[in-house]
Amino acid sequence: MSEKIHSSAKNSFVMSLLKIGTFALIVLLWFIYLRSNHPTYWKSIHSQIIAPFQRWPRELTSFGSYGAYVYSIGAVLLVDFIVLKKKSALAKIASFRPSIRLDLILGAIAILGFAWVIPGIVTAGFSAIVPRYFSKWKIDLIADIPSSFLKLLVYFVVVDFLVYWHHRALHKFQPLWEFHAFHHSATSFTIFTGNRVHPMEFILKIPMVVVPMLFIGAAPGVLVNIWYIRRIFDMAQHSYVPFTYGWLGKWIVFSPVGHRIHHSTQVEHFDSNFGDIFPIWDHIFGTWYSGNEINEKIGIPENEFNKDGVVADLYRPFKKTIPIL
Ligand SMILES: [Zn+2]
Ligand SMILES: [Zn+2]
């Protein structure tokens, strides 16, 4: 009996490998075709999938937005350690448990600049082509604002509004939830948990966040800087420090406790605190958690993740949503 189970598991693994291999070959042929026939599109794909490897290791002495982002990781880790000591992210990282390992692998991929490589391959390059194509029709809605800082602030608020609705969609629709469950399957916060995002979430951000932002005139470089600033907030939120930030955390910027409630296993916390940086969207659209209960545990019921390795965990949502896989 156990031999039967063993051989059927082996067969399904081989079948999965065959399907992935066939897909990879088709994508490769498609890239070869684009390279010789559509050099402009190929340039975008190259900058998303191949250039990050050529730039690595990055210039860590840079004090530009990337440098500031990398150094801020140390600062957030230090505050987390001073406040939590044995329960800190650093102590959890040292334990190297499966949920922590997944955070670290995805964290390293994002921090080193490879976050868009998998979405680029999975979409056969369309994650690079689509934004390039749509940016042709942009209308600069805030061209009259003279200050570039103020412009950045406006874009920052608009991005956050779009991300709020992107996040609500991920919880609302079952197939999308299967991919977002990957983020919620973390059983502990390591400050890197925010990088534990399924590539399909990135792909969905293209029509819901990236294209609208390009359309209203945000330059791609501005979007990259916004991304780095958001990552710093994101790290602070995925920490177990018991900070609520008081009224600031309720109205201005999401606190670690505010986001921990969104990850809660307690039913009363479900479907609340969707906001990314600004909690104001939750207040406006009625999803702010106004109770006083703070959860100790985070995760999802019937958690199938964190057992079979990162590849299996990334593949699982595809298997659940696409019957032929
Ligand atoms: Zn969520
Ligand atoms: Zn989160």
Side-chain angles (χ1 to χ4, degrees), residues 47-63:
S47 69
Q48 195 170 82
I49 299 176
I50 298 165
F53 290 95
Q54 293 172 337
R55 283 197 299 266
W56 192 85
R58 282 175 186 249
E59 187 58 72
L60 289 184
T61 50
S62 143
F63 282 93

Side-chain angles (χ1 to χ4, degrees), residues 167 180 183-184 189 193-194 234 237-238 259-260 262-263 276:
H167 193 181
H180 187 52
H183 177 63
H184 280 271
F189 277 162
T193 314
D234 188 272
Q237 283 169 4
H238 289 95
H259 191 63
R260 196 203 299 178
H262 178 69
H263 278 258
D276 210 68

